Amino acid sequence: RYQQEIPVKGDDEIAQLGRTIQSLGEQLQYFEDSRNDFLAGVSHELRTPLTYIKGYSDILMKGMYQSSEEQKQYLQIINNEANRISILVNDLFEMSKLQVNEFILDREVSNINQIIEKVITNLKPEIWKKGIKINSKLHEIPLIRIDPKRMEQVLYNLVENAMKYTQQGEILISSYKEKGFIKLKVKDTGIGIPKSELTKIFDRFYRVEHSRARMTGGTGLGLYVVKQIVKAHEGEITVESQENGGSTFTITLKI
Ligand code: ADP
């Protein structure tokens, strides 16, 4: 562990080199720490569903159930937990792709409103099934050079979250031009996010209230991926939210 800092006095080249090496050491330590946190996060996320799968499959193998109803219930748990692992592995894969490519975007002149329409069409059946409405207010915006696949993923993640964390009401997606920028908003009438958590939700693996998030089968990677993609487009993403008062995610892109 990088711990000891030897004071480097003076202003000559050797002293400057000394300070540079020290600051490099600190940076390396930072990366080492975040890598360790990351691995700890992944192991933790995998361990929980695996424990369920192992436990319930043991029970089934030993025939320790009273009825076929009970048997079905255990199989359902195994199935759900396997799904969780599969979502996690997918999210990890998306994340590693982002890192390997170092954010090389496959940009082409794109119509963002069309991408929004596509995301809405794909998610509509699931959203309606939950009894939530989805609407859009798409204004005329200029075509810009973005990576359409990645932007679709961003919108997909945001709308999926809006759906996951909303019990009733409406999801509204809007796009408009404001000075030299394009604004995209995904607004929901869901459970909202406490003020104290707002800055943390874009962190890797961060979920508000673990137990509640677990029920919705999230991994805490979605918004991290979203933020990395938006940043790669030199854009910005912000969130406004109130507990039980819905959330609004806003993406700002330069024209
Ligand atoms: P997850 O896979 O858990 O949804 P995300 O990175 O997408 O992970 O989001 C991180 C956390 O932010 C979520 O666990 C949830 O607590 C909170 N969150 C994200 N979007 C919303 C939303 N639209 N409404 C309420 N909470 C949200």
Side-chain angles (χ1 to χ4, degrees):
R1 192 163 226 293
Y2 181 87
Q3 264 177 338
Q4 210 171 356
E5 215 172 87
I6 307 150
V8 185
K9 291 197 193 101
D11 234 354
D12 56 13
E13 276 159 354
I14 299 288
Q16 274 173 25
L17 183 64
R19 278 192 287 272
T20 307
I21 290 171
Q22 257 178 9
S23 112
L24 272 178
E26 279 161 27
Q27 282 174 43
L28 281 176
Q29 186 60 54
Y30 172 77
F31 285 123
E32 182 66 20
D33 284 350
S34 60
R35 201 180 64 127
N36 286 340
D37 285 352
F38 174 67
L39 288 176
V42 174
S43 334
H44 174 82
E45 294 302 318
L46 282 174
R47 201 177 299 130
T48 320
L50 282 173
T51 307
Y52 278 103
I53 290 174
K54 182 144 183 11
Y56 284 103
S57 58
D58 273 349
I59 289 178
L60 287 172
M61 277 192 313
K62 289 179 188 147
M64 285 160 64
Y65 49 87
Q66 308 294 330
S67 60
S68 64
E69 204 49 36
E70 201 182 328
Q71 182 188 26
K72 211 170 142 196
Q73 199 186 331
Y74 295 158
L75 282 168
Q76 188 63 56
I77 296 174
I78 293 176
N79 196 262
N80 289 347
E81 296 302 317
N83 278 340
R84 259 182 75 70
I85 295 180
S86 138
I87 292 171
L88 174 67
V89 171
N90 274 340
D91 283 357
L92 285 172
F93 184 58
E94 284 305 323
M95 214 175 76
S96 73
K97 274 200 297 194
L98 288 181
Q99 274 157 4
V100 171
N101 296 350
E102 304 243 348
F103 307 126
I104 297 170
L105 297 173
D106 211 353
R107 290 192 196 244
E108 51 186 85
V109 176
S110 311
N111 182 334
I112 297 185
N113 282 341
Q114 257 171 25
I115 301 176
I116 296 176
E117 305 264 19
K118 183 174 167 197
V119 171
I120 294 179
T121 307
N122 289 351
L123 286 173
K124 221 185 224 168
E126 248 184 292
I127 294 173
W128 283 354
K129 221 163 59 187
K130 265 201 85 177
I132 311 167
K133 292 194 196 82
I134 178 146
N135 288 310
S136 58
K137 265 191 205 156
L138 308 182
H139 295 95
E140 208 174 297
I141 49 175
L143 305 178
I144 54 170
R145 281 180 62 79
I146 51 159
D147 184 328
K149 289 217 177 66
R150 292 254 166 86
M151 200 48 72
E152 181 181 325
Q153 191 191 351
V154 163
L155 290 160
Y156 204 90
N157 283 3
L158 291 179
V159 178
E160 234 185 359
N161 275 351
M163 172 178 72
K164 272 197 299 197
Y165 302 107
T166 302
Q167 303 307 331
Q168 54 183 339
E170 182 198 46
I171 299 169
L172 178 67
I173 309 176
S174 50
S175 64
Y176 56 94
K177 195 180 131 189
E178 195 177 85
K179 292 172 191 146
F181 298 94
I182 287 176
K183 298 254 183 188
L184 310 174
K185 281 187 191 276
V186 178
K187 183 175 190 290
D188 66 56
T189 52
I191 59 173
I193 302 157
K195 279 243 147 22
S196 56
E197 313 278 327
L198 283 178
T199 51
K200 300 181 218 158
I201 56 169
F202 295 100
D203 292 350
R204 268 192 309 215
F205 294 120
Y206 194 82
R207 284 180 284 166
V208 180
E209 249 186 63
H210 231 65
S211 56
R212 185 180 65 183
R214 236 193 96 70
M215 291 191 310
T216 61
T219 59
L221 287 173
L223 285 180
Y224 174 79
V225 169
V226 163
K227 184 159 185 174
Q228 299 312 308
I229 296 175
V230 172
K231 255 171 56 182
H233 283 89
E234 292 117 36
E236 204 183 87
I237 179 159
T238 56
V239 56
E240 281 165 88
S241 184
Q242 245 170 11
E243 230 177 332
N244 301 315
S247 312
T248 306
F249 287 84
T250 306
I251 295 173
T252 307
L253 297 168
K254 253 189 289 184
I255 293 175

